[in-house]
Amino acid sequence: MDKFFKLSENHTTVKTEILAGLTTFLSMAYVLFVNPTMLHTTGMDLESVFVATVLAAVVGSLLMGLIANYPIGLAPGMGLNAFFAYTVCAQWGIPWQTALAGVLVSGLVFICLTLSGIREKVINAIPAELKYAVGAGIGFFIAFLGLKNAGIIVANESTIVALGDIHSGPVLLAVFGIVVTVIYMTLNLKGAIFLGMATTAIGGMIFGLIDVPTQIVSAVPSVAPTFGQAVIHLPDIFTPQMLIVILTFFFIDFFDTAGTLVAVANQAGFVKDNKVPRAGRSLFADSCATVVGAIFGTSTTTSYVESTAGVAVGGRTGLTAVVVAICFGLSLFFSPLLGVITSAVTTPALVIVGILMIGNVAHIDWSKFEVAVPAFFVILMMVLTFSIATGIAIGFIFYPLTMCLKGRYKEVHPIMYGMMVLFILYFMFVV
């Protein structure tokens, strides 16, 4: 084991790696309940999505550990699942089966681009400011989504949105969960988001707002309701609208994984000469996990920045990721707990993840107007249109325009001009 994972070379031990793996798992375990609950709104079977979520996390984390030897855990991505459920299915009316086919195709494209080396070139074509804006915009979107689902924010004819009924039990429970999770995060408790959800659920059961589960452990649920639907509905993807869907899945996961990889590699001290070693292998693991997840029935799988929690306690090799995979595998037997995960329980997780993602705005140079305009529209329009894709499209149209007006047209990569044209056509003929 020491030779395979190069433990001594990375100045770590089996004990340290196991502890790091457990820490990373607890930090990202909330996805086990948030992802099925979110995708269930599309009509997908709750327990089937739970199994698909676990299997995608197991396969992705195992490949990351065994092939890339990185201490990074993978699971269906936050933001990507929101785009899947609330934009693709709810807003655009695309059946979840067809949306899964889109995820599958994006994963297969990822594999091809990763093996060819093109994926890295495309990443470099997108300006850093827009990458950060997309991350921040998704953070605002997810936080708003959580507050909306809990009833803390509601629709209002006069003001468009307003504060909900803060005297109702479910709303108070969600507020309690947010406060508790903020306390845990501020105190730097390991697995703070997961602990916050657990505390909220227990509080809900104590006050009769959530039904107490009759059992905790059970047999593994059937994955039949969602298994293979992505493959069956592949012929349905050949529409202009699905092209935008696939491109958006592709784009978000593209930078989600790259950003996480760089963050973890930097923290672990792997980056040398501004390059991340074995980057291709880690991107390959992410791509394969997306394909497997789509086949079983879940949205795009990606690397989790919560992996930095495991690195912080000493995780340096793929053994950490393998431990994460094992922990996810064991969670298959705890599906009865899905019944206690209401919107009030998932809201704290969505809000905290949103807060963490919003930090990306600090890296945007707001003093340059030609950069500030597209970044601003990416972030703002994601929330106001309730669509991640629309925010990206508007920002990507503005960027080449403002850069050209500023005389910086040579700094804009040809791919960005191509995307501008593509998104303009999207608004003309699809929306």
Side-chain angles (χ1 to χ4, degrees):
M1 186 175 292
D2 180 83
K3 184 178 180 180
F4 183 84
F5 290 108
K6 300 180 179 178
L7 300 178
S8 299
E9 183 179 324
N10 287 282
H11 309 291
T12 184
T13 64
V14 172
K15 180 180 179 181
T16 299
E17 294 293 299
I18 292 175
L19 179 61
L22 290 172
T23 301
T24 296
F25 171 73
L26 287 175
S27 298
M28 57 187 291
Y30 64 88
V31 73
L32 286 169
F33 306 105
V34 177
N35 191 58
T37 302
M38 192 174 292
L39 298 191
H40 181 56
T41 62
T42 68
M44 298 176 72
D45 182 78
L46 185 69
E47 292 188 338
S48 183
V49 177
F50 171 77
V51 175
T53 300
V54 171
L55 294 177
V58 169
V59 171
S61 300
L62 268 180
L63 289 176
M64 183 64 75
L66 298 177
I67 296 178
N69 198 26
Y70 269 118
I72 299 176
L74 285 83
M78 301 298 297
L80 286 156
N81 51 12
F83 172 67
F84 183 104
Y86 297 100
T87 298
V88 177
C89 295
Q91 194 175 65
W92 292 350
I94 295 174
W96 61 264
Q97 296 91 336
T98 306
L100 278 180
V103 174
L104 175 59
V105 171
S106 70
L108 292 172
V109 172
F110 269 139
I111 291 177
C112 295
L113 291 181
T114 300
L115 292 176
S116 66
I118 296 176
R119 192 175 184 182
E120 185 176 350
K121 295 180 180 178
V122 177
I123 289 178
N124 294 331
I126 311 297
E129 291 86 354
L130 290 188
K131 296 174 187 175
Y132 293 129
V134 169
I138 292 175
F140 277 108
F141 180 87
I142 288 177
F144 178 69
L145 178 65
L147 297 174
K148 170 186 169 294
N149 288 347
I152 297 175
I153 298 297
V154 297
N156 184 286
E157 291 186 5
S158 301
T159 60
I160 304 178
V161 293
L163 188 65
D165 182 8
I166 59 173
H167 300 291
S168 71
V171 173
L172 285 173
L173 180 61
V175 172
F176 165 75
I178 293 172
V179 172
V180 167
T181 310
V182 166
I183 292 172
Y184 291 163
M185 289 291 294
T186 305
L187 295 176
N188 292 320
L189 294 184
K190 304 301 181 185
I193 296 177
F194 179 76
L195 291 176
M197 289 180 63
T199 303
T200 307
I202 293 171
M205 287 184 281
I206 290 175
F207 290 98
L209 298 172
I210 297 176
D211 295 331
V212 178
T214 55
Q215 60 185 52
I216 296 177
V217 180
S218 72
V220 178
S222 172
V223 76
T226 58
F227 179 73
Q229 292 299 315
V231 178
I232 295 172
H233 289 268
L234 276 175
D236 299 336
I237 68 170
F238 298 103
T239 65
Q241 195 174 46
M242 279 305 299
L243 175 61
I244 299 298
V245 170
I246 293 170
L247 283 173
T248 306
F249 280 140
F250 176 87
F251 174 81
I252 299 174
D253 186 36
F254 215 101
F255 302 116
D256 209 3
T257 300
T260 298
L261 179 62
V262 172
V264 175
N266 268 318
Q267 184 178 354
F270 295 147
V271 178
K272 296 179 181 178
D273 300 323
N274 202 33
K275 293 183 179 179
V276 180
R278 306 185 303 282
R281 295 184 182 184
S282 62
L283 294 173
F284 179 74
D286 168 85
S287 306
C288 291
T290 291
V291 170
V292 171
I295 292 173
F296 280 100
T298 186
S299 52
T300 309
T301 303
T302 188
S303 302
Y304 264 59
V305 75
E306 284 85 350
S307 301
T308 54
V311 174
V313 297
R316 292 293 182 274
T317 74
L319 181 55
T320 293
V322 171
V323 173
V324 172
I326 293 172
C327 290
F328 269 112
L330 294 174
S331 68
L332 274 173
F333 301 98
F334 294 90
S335 62
L337 294 179
L338 283 169
V340 306
I341 308 302
T342 64
S343 58
V345 176
T346 59
T347 291
L350 294 175
V351 170
I352 298 302
V353 171
I355 292 172
L356 296 175
M357 295 181 72
I358 289 167
N360 283 291
V361 296
H363 304 293
I364 300 172
D365 188 354
W366 295 101
S367 65
K368 296 179 179 177
F369 194 72
E370 66 274 20
V371 170
V373 169
F376 172 78
F377 277 116
V378 166
I379 296 169
L380 182 70
M381 298 309 289
M382 275 191 193
V383 180
L384 295 188
T385 64
F386 208 68
S387 170
I388 293 171
T390 300
I392 291 173
I394 293 174
F396 275 48
I397 290 173
F398 267 103
Y399 183 79
L401 292 176
T402 55
M403 290 293 284
C404 286
L405 289 171
K406 194 67 175 178
R408 299 175 61 186
Y409 57 90
K410 291 184 179 180
E411 298 177 40
V412 181
H413 197 283
I415 289 177
M416 291 302 299
Y417 288 114
M419 293 183 109
M420 179 185 71
V421 173
L422 178 65
F423 285 128
I424 289 175
L425 294 174
Y426 162 69
F427 283 116
M428 290 175 63
F429 300 108
V430 180
V431 175

